[in-house]
Amino acid sequence: MTHHKLIALIALVLTTTTYGQQAPVGYDDTPMQPNGKWRVHDGTRPHPAIVTAPPAGDASAPAPSDAIVLLGTADDLNAWQMNDGSAATWTMKGGVLQTGKGMLRTKQQFTDVQLHVEFATPSEVKGESQGRGNSGVFLLGHFEIQVLDSYRNITYPDGQAASMYGQYPPLVNAARAPGQWQSYDIIFTAPRFAVDGTLEKPAIVTVLHNGIVVHHATPFWGPTRHRSVLPYTPQMASGPIALQDHGNPVRYRNIWVRELKEYDAR
Ligand code: MG
């Protein structure tokens, strides 16, 4: 065995041992999820298999011609505001948005969309589990597709990168290494409510993480929130696209959205 191989083997053993001795990640005192199989953020839930995504390109492809560009190459945040409606305070430089204090959301409201988002967690790894590269893409402001550094970072499966937060883990873990640009392509159907406010159809999402399908027409059982199982309310029929501040520096670039008509509206 070469010197380098020996060092690699020792490193692997140490890493494995560290994971084995780590305090349990996840919760055993949270509500049961509606299907009765797992608790919210259940640490004993199986971890999705790791799938190697194709390598990240240096540049991103331009938006389709009919897309609404939310984050382009110009250093402006004209499409965005803070969650309380005040002017956007996150910093945008060289076409790259850096997370700042407070949640950022679009001025425009949406329903059914195709959404493209590129993000990168810090190349210098700090923190672990939910404290490592945490942000999130909130559809209609209520339904989070988790942004996290999930490259060799164990956390509860329904909170790892690309999870429908607190509800479903991604089908596989397609995360790239820290610092690399990654993409989410999200096809989202907003929830539908009857005139009296009762839910007719839940929100449904399909997500590709780095080009790999990780959710396929999967319904949200309600809005996503830490340690919670919450009901739908009719106000959730439309809303902004929002980006989460979770106290970790995360970069975003090239965000665009296409509004989708209902199938019977064409
Ligand atoms: Mg998050």
Side-chain angles (χ1 to χ4, degrees), residues 160-246:
Q160 71 179 62
S163 62
M164 294 163 65
Y165 183 74
Q167 301 193 11
Y168 295 104
L171 289 165
V172 294
N173 179 352
R176 290 188 179 127
Q180 291 195 27
W181 284 104
Q182 309 195 55
S183 64
Y184 287 158
D185 285 285
I186 299 170
I187 299 108
F188 177 78
T189 311
R192 301 295 198 267
F193 297 90
V195 179
D196 69 359
T198 55
L199 182 72
E200 280 182 337
K201 199 176 137 197
I204 294 168
V205 79
T206 293
V207 179
L208 285 79
H209 183 190
N210 297 326
I212 294 168
V213 174
V214 293
H215 299 289
H216 179 210
T218 307
F220 286 93
W221 67 61
T224 58
R225 197 171 310 160
H226 188 224
R227 295 176 57 92
S228 306
V229 173
L230 295 170
Y232 278 97
T233 57
Q235 294 76 20
M236 294 168 190
S238 65
I241 291 157
L243 303 174
Q244 186 187 37
D245 162 31
H246 204 281

Coordinates of all heavy atoms in Angstrom, one line a residue, residues 160-246:
Q160 N -32.2 17.6 4.5 CA -30.9 17.7 3.7 C -31.2 18.5 2.4 O -32.3 18.9 2.1 CB -30.3 16.4 3.4 CG -31.1 15.5 2.4 CD -30.4 14.2 2.2 OE1 -30.3 13.4 3.1 NE2 -30.0 13.9 1.0
A161 N -30.1 18.8 1.6 CA -30.3 19.6 0.4 C -31.3 19.0 -0.5 O -31.4 17.8 -0.7 CB -28.9 19.7 -0.3
A162 N -32.2 19.9 -1.0 CA -33.2 19.5 -2.0 C -34.4 18.8 -1.3 O -35.3 18.4 -2.0 CB -32.7 18.7 -3.2
S163 N -34.4 18.6 0.0 CA -35.6 18.1 0.7 C -36.8 19.0 0.6 O -36.6 20.2 0.5 CB -35.3 17.7 2.1 OG -35.0 18.9 2.9
M164 N -38.0 18.5 0.6 CA -39.2 19.3 0.9 C -39.2 19.4 2.4 O -39.5 18.4 3.1 CB -40.4 18.5 0.3 CG -40.4 18.4 -1.2 SD -41.5 17.2 -1.9 CE -43.1 17.9 -1.4
Y165 N -38.7 20.5 2.9 CA -38.2 20.6 4.3 C -39.3 20.1 5.3 O -40.4 20.5 5.4 CB -37.8 22.0 4.6 CG -37.3 22.1 6.0 CD1 -36.0 21.7 6.3 CD2 -38.1 22.6 7.1 CE1 -35.5 21.7 7.6 CE2 -37.5 22.7 8.3 CZ -36.3 22.2 8.6 OH -35.8 22.3 9.9
G166 N -38.8 19.1 6.1 CA -39.6 18.5 7.2 C -40.7 17.6 6.7 O -41.5 17.1 7.5
Q167 N -40.7 17.3 5.4 CA -41.7 16.4 4.8 C -41.0 15.2 4.1 O -41.1 14.1 4.6 CB -42.6 17.2 3.9 CG -43.3 18.4 4.7 CD -44.4 19.0 3.9 OE1 -44.9 18.6 2.9 NE2 -44.9 20.2 4.5
Y168 N -40.4 15.5 3.0 CA -39.8 14.4 2.2 C -38.3 14.6 1.9 O -38.0 15.7 1.4 CB -40.5 14.1 0.9 CG -42.0 13.7 1.1 CD1 -43.0 14.6 0.9 CD2 -42.2 12.4 1.5 CE1 -44.3 14.2 1.1 CE2 -43.5 12.0 1.7 CZ -44.6 12.9 1.5 OH -45.9 12.5 1.8
P169 N -37.5 13.6 2.1 CA -36.1 13.7 1.6 C -36.1 13.6 0.1 O -37.1 13.2 -0.5 CB -35.4 12.4 2.2 CG -36.4 11.8 3.2 CD -37.7 12.3 2.8
P170 N -35.0 14.1 -0.5 CA -34.9 13.9 -2.0 C -34.8 12.4 -2.3 O -34.4 11.6 -1.4 CB -33.6 14.6 -2.3 CG -32.8 14.6 -1.1 CD -33.8 14.7 0.0
L171 N -35.2 12.0 -3.5 CA -35.0 10.6 -3.8 C -33.6 10.1 -3.7 O -33.3 9.0 -3.3 CB -35.6 10.4 -5.3 CG -37.1 10.5 -5.5 CD1 -37.4 10.6 -6.9 CD2 -37.8 9.3 -4.9
V172 N -32.7 11.0 -4.1 CA -31.2 10.7 -4.0 C -30.5 12.0 -3.6 O -31.1 13.1 -3.7 CB -30.6 10.2 -5.3 CG1 -31.2 8.8 -5.7 CG2 -30.8 11.2 -6.5
N173 N -29.3 11.8 -3.1 CA -28.5 12.9 -2.7 C -27.6 13.3 -3.9 O -26.6 12.6 -4.2 CB -27.6 12.6 -1.5 CG -26.7 13.8 -1.1 OD1 -26.6 14.8 -1.8 ND2 -26.1 13.6 0.1
A174 N -27.9 14.3 -4.6 CA -27.1 14.7 -5.8 C -26.2 15.9 -5.6 O -25.9 16.7 -6.5 CB -28.1 15.0 -7.0
A175 N -25.9 16.2 -4.3 CA -25.1 17.4 -3.9 C -23.7 17.3 -4.5 O -23.1 16.3 -4.5 CB -25.1 17.5 -2.4
R176 N -23.3 18.5 -5.0 CA -21.9 18.7 -5.3 C -21.1 19.2 -4.1 O -21.7 19.5 -3.1 CB -21.8 19.7 -6.5 CG -22.3 19.2 -7.8 CD -22.0 20.2 -8.9 NE -22.5 19.6 -10.2 CZ -23.3 20.3 -11.0 NH1 -23.7 21.6 -10.7 NH2 -23.8 19.8 -12.1
A177 N -19.8 19.2 -4.3 CA -18.9 19.5 -3.2 C -19.1 21.0 -2.8 O -19.6 21.8 -3.6 CB -17.5 19.3 -3.6
P178 N -18.7 21.4 -1.6 CA -18.8 22.8 -1.1 C -18.1 23.7 -2.1 O -17.1 23.4 -2.6 CB -18.1 22.7 0.2 CG -18.1 21.3 0.7 CD -18.2 20.5 -0.6
G179 N -18.8 24.9 -2.3 CA -18.2 25.9 -3.1 C -18.5 25.8 -4.6 O -18.4 26.8 -5.3
Q180 N -19.0 24.6 -5.0 CA -19.3 24.4 -6.4 C -20.8 25.0 -6.7 O -21.6 24.9 -5.8 CB -19.3 23.0 -6.8 CG -17.9 22.4 -6.8 CD -17.8 21.1 -7.6 OE1 -18.6 20.8 -8.4 NE2 -16.8 20.3 -7.2
W181 N -21.0 25.5 -7.9 CA -22.3 25.9 -8.3 C -23.2 24.7 -8.5 O -22.8 23.7 -9.1 CB -22.2 26.8 -9.5 CG -21.8 28.2 -9.2 CD1 -20.5 28.7 -9.4 CD2 -22.5 29.2 -8.5 NE1 -20.5 30.0 -9.0 CE2 -21.7 30.3 -8.4 CE3 -23.8 29.3 -8.0 CZ2 -22.1 31.5 -7.8 CZ3 -24.2 30.5 -7.4 CH2 -23.3 31.6 -7.3
Q182 N -24.4 24.8 -8.0 CA -25.4 23.7 -8.1 C -26.7 24.3 -8.6 O -26.9 25.6 -8.6 CB -25.7 23.1 -6.8 CG -24.4 22.6 -6.1 CD -24.6 21.7 -4.9 OE1 -25.3 20.6 -5.1 NE2 -24.2 22.1 -3.7
S183 N -27.6 23.5 -9.1 CA -28.8 24.0 -9.7 C -30.0 23.3 -9.1 O -30.0 22.1 -8.8 CB -28.8 24.0 -11.2 OG -28.8 22.6 -11.6
Y184 N -31.1 24.0 -9.0 CA -32.4 23.4 -8.8 C -33.3 23.8 -10.0 O -33.4 25.0 -10.3 CB -33.1 24.0 -7.5 CG -32.6 23.4 -6.2 CD1 -32.7 24.2 -5.0 CD2 -31.9 22.2 -6.1 CE1 -32.2 23.7 -3.8 CE2 -31.4 21.8 -4.9 CZ -31.5 22.5 -3.8 OH -31.1 22.1 -2.6
D185 N -34.0 22.9 -10.6 CA -35.0 23.2 -11.5 C -36.3 22.6 -11.0 O -36.4 21.4 -10.7 CB -34.7 22.6 -12.9 CG -33.6 23.4 -13.6 OD1 -33.9 24.5 -14.1 OD2 -32.4 23.0 -13.6
I186 N -37.2 23.6 -10.7 CA -38.4 23.3 -9.9 C -39.6 23.5 -10.8 O -39.8 24.6 -11.4 CB -38.4 24.2 -8.7 CG1 -37.2 23.9 -7.8 CG2 -39.7 24.0 -7.9 CD1 -37.0 24.9 -6.6
I187 N -40.5 22.5 -10.8 CA -41.8 22.7 -11.5 C -42.8 22.5 -10.4 O -43.0 21.5 -9.7 CB -42.0 21.6 -12.6 CG1 -41.0 21.8 -13.7 CG2 -43.4 21.8 -13.2 CD1 -39.9 20.7 -13.8
F188 N -43.6 23.6 -10.2 CA -44.4 23.7 -9.0 C -45.9 24.1 -9.4 O -46.1 25.0 -10.2 CB -43.9 24.8 -8.1 CG -44.7 25.1 -6.9 CD1 -44.6 24.3 -5.8 CD2 -45.5 26.2 -6.8 CE1 -45.3 24.5 -4.6 CE2 -46.3 26.5 -5.7 CZ -46.2 25.6 -4.6
T189 N -46.8 23.3 -8.8 CA -48.2 23.7 -8.9 C -48.7 24.2 -7.6 O -48.6 23.5 -6.6 CB -49.0 22.4 -9.3 OG1 -48.3 21.8 -10.4 CG2 -50.4 22.7 -9.7
A190 N -49.3 25.4 -7.6 CA -49.8 26.0 -6.4 C -51.0 25.2 -5.9 O -51.7 24.5 -6.7 CB -50.2 27.4 -6.7
P191 N -51.3 25.3 -4.6 CA -52.5 24.6 -4.1 C -53.8 25.3 -4.6 O -53.7 26.5 -4.9 CB -52.3 24.8 -2.5 CG -51.5 26.0 -2.4 CD -50.6 26.0 -3.5
R192 N -54.8 24.5 -4.6 CA -56.1 25.1 -5.1 C -57.1 25.0 -3.9 O -57.1 23.9 -3.2 CB -56.6 24.3 -6.3 CG -55.7 24.3 -7.5 CD -55.6 25.7 -8.1 NE -55.1 25.8 -9.5 CZ -53.8 25.9 -9.8 NH1 -52.8 26.0 -8.9 NH2 -53.4 26.0 -11.0
F193 N -57.9 26.0 -3.8 CA -58.9 26.0 -2.7 C -60.3 26.3 -3.3 O -60.5 27.0 -4.3 CB -58.6 27.2 -1.7 CG -57.2 26.9 -1.0 CD1 -56.1 27.4 -1.6 CD2 -57.2 26.2 0.2 CE1 -54.8 27.2 -1.0 CE2 -55.9 26.0 0.8 CZ -54.8 26.5 0.2
A194 N -61.3 25.7 -2.7 CA -62.7 26.0 -3.0 C -63.0 27.4 -2.5 O -62.3 28.0 -1.7 CB -63.6 25.0 -2.4
V195 N -64.2 27.9 -3.0 CA -64.6 29.3 -2.6 C -64.7 29.4 -1.1 O -64.4 30.4 -0.5 CB -66.0 29.6 -3.3 CG1 -66.4 31.0 -2.9 CG2 -65.8 29.5 -4.8
D196 N -65.2 28.3 -0.4 CA -65.3 28.3 1.0 C -64.0 28.2 1.8 O -63.9 28.1 3.0 CB -66.3 27.3 1.5 CG -65.9 25.9 1.3 OD1 -64.7 25.7 0.8 OD2 -66.6 25.0 1.7
G197 N -62.9 28.0 1.0 CA -61.5 28.0 1.6 C -61.0 26.6 1.9 O -59.9 26.4 2.3
T198 N -61.8 25.5 1.6 CA -61.3 24.2 1.8 C -60.3 23.8 0.7 O -60.4 24.3 -0.4 CB -62.4 23.1 1.9 OG1 -63.2 23.2 0.7 CG2 -63.3 23.3 3.1
L199 N -59.4 23.0 1.1 CA -58.3 22.6 0.1 C -58.9 21.6 -0.9 O -59.5 20.6 -0.6 CB -57.2 21.9 0.9 CG -56.0 21.5 0.0 CD1 -55.2 22.7 -0.5 CD2 -55.1 20.5 0.8
E200 N -58.7 22.0 -2.2 CA -59.1 21.1 -3.3 C -58.0 20.3 -3.8 O -58.2 19.1 -4.1 CB -59.7 21.9 -4.4 CG -61.1 22.4 -4.2 CD -61.7 23.1 -5.4 OE1 -60.9 23.7 -6.2 OE2 -62.9 23.2 -5.5
K201 N -56.8 20.9 -3.8 CA -55.6 20.2 -4.4 C -54.4 20.7 -3.7 O -54.2 21.9 -3.7 CB -55.6 20.4 -5.9 CG -54.8 19.4 -6.7 CD -54.9 19.7 -8.1 CE -53.5 19.6 -8.8 NZ -53.5 20.3 -10.1
P202 N -53.5 19.9 -3.2 CA -52.3 20.4 -2.5 C -51.3 21.0 -3.5 O -51.4 20.7 -4.7 CB -51.8 19.2 -1.8 CG -52.2 18.0 -2.6 CD -53.5 18.4 -3.2
A203 N -50.3 21.7 -3.0 CA -49.2 22.1 -3.8 C -48.4 20.8 -4.2 O -48.3 19.9 -3.4 CB -48.3 23.0 -3.0
I204 N -47.9 20.8 -5.4 CA -47.2 19.7 -6.0 C -45.9 20.1 -6.6 O -45.9 21.2 -7.3 CB -48.1 18.9 -7.0 CG1 -49.3 18.3 -6.3 CG2 -47.3 17.8 -7.7 CD1 -50.4 17.9 -7.3
V205 N -44.8 19.4 -6.3 CA -43.5 19.8 -6.8 C -42.8 18.7 -7.5 O -42.8 17.5 -7.0 CB -42.7 20.5 -5.7 CG1 -42.1 19.5 -4.8 CG2 -41.7 21.4 -6.3
T206 N -42.1 19.0 -8.6 CA -41.1 18.2 -9.2 C -39.8 19.0 -9.1 O -39.7 20.2 -9.4 CB -41.4 17.9 -10.6 OG1 -42.6 17.1 -10.6 CG2 -40.3 17.2 -11.4
V207 N -38.7 18.4 -8.7 CA -37.4 19.1 -8.5 C -36.3 18.3 -9.2 O -36.2 17.0 -8.9 CB -37.1 19.3 -7.0 CG1 -35.7 20.0 -6.9 CG2 -38.2 20.1 -6.3
L208 N -35.5 19.0 -9.9 CA -34.2 18.4 -10.4 C -33.1 19.1 -9.7 O -33.0 20.3 -9.7 CB -34.1 18.6 -11.9 CG -34.9 17.6 -12.8 CD1 -36.4 18.1 -12.9 CD2 -34.3 17.5 -14.2
H209 N -32.2 18.3 -9.1 CA -31.0 18.8 -8.4 C -29.8 18.5 -9.3 O -29.5 17.3 -9.4 CB -30.9 18.2 -7.0 CG -29.8 18.8 -6.2 ND1 -29.4 18.2 -5.0 CD2 -28.9 19.8 -6.3 CE1 -28.4 18.8 -4.5 NE2 -28.1 19.8 -5.3
N210 N -29.2 19.5 -9.8 CA -28.0 19.3 -10.7 C -28.4 18.3 -11.8 O -27.7 17.5 -12.3 CB -26.8 18.7 -9.9 CG -26.3 19.7 -8.9 OD1 -26.4 20.9 -9.1 ND2 -25.8 19.2 -7.8
G211 N -29.7 18.5 -12.3 CA -30.1 17.8 -13.5 C -30.7 16.4 -13.2 O -31.2 15.7 -14.1
I212 N -30.7 16.1 -11.9 CA -31.2 14.7 -11.5 C -32.6 14.9 -10.7 O -32.7 15.7 -9.8 CB -30.2 14.1 -10.6 CG1 -28.9 13.8 -11.4 CG2 -30.7 12.8 -9.9 CD1 -27.7 13.4 -10.6
V213 N -33.5 14.1 -11.2 CA -34.9 14.2 -10.5 C -34.8 13.7 -9.1 O -34.4 12.6 -8.8 CB -35.9 13.4 -11.3 CG1 -37.2 13.4 -10.5 CG2 -36.1 13.9 -12.7
V214 N -35.2 14.6 -8.2 CA -35.1 14.2 -6.7 C -36.5 14.3 -6.1 O -36.7 13.8 -5.0 CB -34.1 15.1 -5.9 CG1 -32.7 14.8 -6.4 CG2 -34.4 16.6 -6.1
H215 N -37.5 14.9 -6.7 CA -38.9 14.8 -6.4 C -39.7 14.7 -7.7 O -39.4 15.5 -8.6 CB -39.4 16.0 -5.6 CG -38.7 16.2 -4.3 ND1 -38.8 15.4 -3.2 CD2 -37.8 17.2 -3.9 CE1 -38.1 15.8 -2.2 NE2 -37.4 16.9 -2.6
H216 N -40.7 13.9 -7.7 CA -41.5 13.7 -8.9 C -42.9 13.8 -8.6 O -43.5 13.0 -8.0 CB -41.2 12.3 -9.5 CG -41.9 12.0 -10.7 ND1 -42.3 10.7 -11.1 CD2 -42.4 12.8 -11.7 CE1 -43.0 10.8 -12.2 NE2 -43.1 12.0 -12.6
A217 N -43.5 15.0 -8.9 CA -44.9 15.3 -8.7 C -45.3 14.9 -7.3 O -46.3 14.2 -7.1 CB -45.8 14.6 -9.7
T218 N -44.6 15.4 -6.3 CA -44.8 15.1 -4.9 C -45.6 16.2 -4.2 O -45.3 17.3 -4.3 CB -43.5 14.9 -4.2 OG1 -42.7 13.9 -4.9 CG2 -43.7 14.3 -2.8
P219 N -46.7 15.8 -3.5 CA -47.6 16.8 -2.8 C -46.9 17.2 -1.5 O -46.4 16.4 -0.8 CB -48.9 16.1 -2.6 CG -48.6 14.6 -2.7 CD -47.3 14.5 -3.5
F220 N -47.0 18.5 -1.2 CA -46.8 19.0 0.2 C -48.0 18.8 1.0 O -49.1 19.0 0.5 CB -46.5 20.5 0.2 CG -45.1 20.9 -0.4 CD1 -45.0 21.2 -1.7 CD2 -44.0 21.0 0.5 CE1 -43.7 21.6 -2.2 CE2 -42.8 21.4 0.0 CZ -42.7 21.7 -1.4
W221 N -47.9 18.3 2.2 CA -49.1 18.2 3.0 C -49.5 19.5 3.7 O -50.6 19.6 4.3 CB -48.9 17.1 4.1 CG -47.9 17.3 5.2 CD1 -47.9 18.4 6.1 CD2 -46.8 16.6 5.5 NE1 -46.9 18.3 6.9 CE2 -46.1 17.2 6.6 CE3 -46.2 15.4 5.0 CZ2 -45.0 16.7 7.2 CZ3 -45.1 14.9 5.6 CH2 -44.5 15.5 6.6
G222 N -48.7 20.5 3.5 CA -49.0 21.8 4.1 C -47.7 22.6 4.0 O -46.8 22.2 3.3
P223 N -47.7 23.8 4.6 CA -46.5 24.6 4.6 C -45.4 23.9 5.3 O -45.7 23.1 6.2 CB -46.9 25.9 5.3 CG -48.1 25.5 6.2 CD -48.8 24.4 5.5
T224 N -44.1 24.3 5.0 CA -43.0 23.6 5.7 C -42.5 24.5 6.8 O -42.3 25.7 6.7 CB -41.8 23.4 4.7 OG1 -41.5 24.7 4.1 CG2 -42.3 22.6 3.5
R225 N -42.3 23.9 8.0 CA -41.7 24.7 9.1 C -41.0 23.7 10.0 O -41.5 22.6 10.2 CB -42.8 25.5 9.8 CG -42.1 26.5 10.7 CD -43.1 27.5 11.3 NE -44.0 28.1 10.3 CZ -45.2 28.7 10.7 NH1 -45.5 28.7 12.0 NH2 -46.0 29.2 9.8
H226 N -40.0 24.2 10.7 CA -39.2 23.4 11.6 C -40.0 22.8 12.7 O -40.9 23.4 13.3 CB -38.2 24.4 12.3 CG -37.2 23.7 13.1 ND1 -36.8 24.2 14.4 CD2 -36.4 22.6 12.9 CE1 -35.9 23.4 14.9 NE2 -35.6 22.4 14.1
R227 N -39.9 21.5 12.8 CA -40.6 20.7 13.9 C -42.1 20.7 13.9 O -42.7 20.5 14.9 CB -40.1 21.2 15.3 CG -38.6 21.0 15.6 CD -38.3 21.6 16.9 NE -39.1 21.0 18.0 CZ -38.7 20.0 18.7 NH1 -37.6 19.4 18.5 NH2 -39.5 19.5 19.7
S228 N -42.6 21.0 12.7 CA -44.1 21.2 12.7 C -44.8 20.5 11.6 O -44.2 20.2 10.5 CB -44.4 22.7 12.4 OG -43.7 23.5 13.4
V229 N -46.1 20.2 11.8 CA -47.0 19.7 10.8 C -48.1 20.7 10.8 O -48.8 20.9 11.8 CB -47.6 18.3 11.1 CG1 -48.7 17.9 10.2 CG2 -46.5 17.3 11.1
L230 N -48.3 21.5 9.7 CA -49.2 22.6 9.7 C -50.2 22.5 8.6 O -49.9 21.9 7.5 CB -48.4 23.9 9.5 CG -47.5 24.3 10.7 CD1 -46.6 25.5 10.3 CD2 -48.3 24.6 11.9
P231 N -51.4 23.0 8.7 CA -52.4 22.9 7.7 C -52.3 24.0 6.6 O -51.6 25.0 6.8 CB -53.7 23.1 8.5 CG -53.3 24.0 9.6 CD -51.9 23.7 9.9
Y232 N -53.0 23.7 5.5 CA -53.1 24.7 4.5 C -54.1 25.8 4.9 O -55.0 25.5 5.7 CB -53.7 24.1 3.2 CG -52.7 23.4 2.3 CD1 -52.5 22.0 2.4 CD2 -51.9 24.1 1.4 CE1 -51.6 21.3 1.7 CE2 -51.0 23.4 0.6 CZ -50.8 22.1 0.7 OH -49.9 21.4 -0.1
T233 N -53.8 27.0 4.4 CA -54.8 28.1 4.6 C -55.0 28.7 3.2 O -54.0 28.7 2.4 CB -54.4 29.2 5.6 OG1 -53.1 29.7 5.2 CG2 -54.3 28.6 7.0
P234 N -56.1 29.3 2.8 CA -56.4 29.7 1.5 C -55.4 30.8 1.0 O -55.2 31.0 -0.2 CB -57.8 30.3 1.6 CG -58.4 29.7 2.8 CD -57.3 29.3 3.7
Q235 N -54.8 31.5 2.0 CA -53.8 32.6 1.6 C -52.6 32.0 0.9 O -51.8 32.7 0.3 CB -53.3 33.3 2.9 CG -54.3 34.1 3.6 CD -55.3 33.3 4.4 OE1 -55.0 32.2 4.8 NE2 -56.5 33.9 4.7
M236 N -52.5 30.7 0.9 CA -51.3 30.0 0.3 C -51.5 29.7 -1.2 O -50.7 29.1 -1.8 CB -51.0 28.7 1.1 CG -50.5 29.0 2.5 SD -50.5 27.5 3.5 CE -50.2 28.2 5.1
A237 N -52.6 30.2 -1.7 CA -52.9 29.9 -3.2 C -51.9 30.7 -4.1 O -51.7 30.2 -5.2 CB -54.3 30.4 -3.5
S238 N -51.3 31.7 -3.6 CA -50.3 32.5 -4.4 C -49.3 33.1 -3.4 O -49.6 33.2 -2.3 CB -51.0 33.5 -5.3 OG -51.6 34.5 -4.5
G239 N -48.2 33.5 -4.0 CA -47.2 34.2 -3.1 C -45.9 34.4 -3.8 O -45.8 34.1 -5.0
P240 N -45.0 35.0 -3.1 CA -43.7 35.3 -3.7 C -42.8 34.1 -3.8 O -43.0 33.1 -3.1 CB -43.1 36.4 -2.8 CG -43.6 36.0 -1.5 CD -45.0 35.4 -1.7
I241 N -41.7 34.2 -4.4 CA -40.5 33.3 -4.3 C -39.6 33.9 -3.3 O -39.2 35.1 -3.5 CB -39.9 33.0 -5.7 CG1 -40.8 32.2 -6.6 CG2 -38.6 32.3 -5.5 CD1 -40.6 32.4 -8.0
A242 N -39.2 33.2 -2.3 CA -38.4 33.8 -1.2 C -37.1 32.9 -1.0 O -37.1 31.7 -1.2 CB -39.2 33.9 0.0
L243 N -36.1 33.6 -0.6 CA -34.8 33.0 -0.3 C -34.5 33.2 1.2 O -34.7 34.3 1.8 CB -33.7 33.6 -1.1 CG -33.8 33.5 -2.6 CD1 -32.7 34.3 -3.3 CD2 -33.9 32.1 -3.1
Q244 N -34.1 32.1 1.9 CA -34.0 32.1 3.3 C -32.6 32.6 3.8 O -31.6 32.2 3.2 CB -34.3 30.7 3.9 CG -34.3 30.6 5.4 CD -34.4 29.1 5.8 OE1 -33.7 28.2 5.2 NE2 -35.1 28.8 6.9
D245 N -32.6 33.4 4.9 CA -31.4 33.7 5.6 C -31.4 32.8 6.8 O -32.3 32.9 7.7 CB -31.4 35.1 6.1 CG -30.4 35.4 7.2 OD1 -29.4 34.7 7.3 OD2 -30.7 36.3 8.1
H246 N -30.5 31.8 6.9 CA -30.3 30.9 8.0 C -29.0 31.2 8.8 O -28.5 30.3 9.5 CB -30.4 29.5 7.6 CG -30.9 28.5 8.6 ND1 -30.1 28.0 9.6 CD2 -32.1 28.0 8.9 CE1 -30.8 27.2 10.4 NE2 -32.0 27.2 10.0

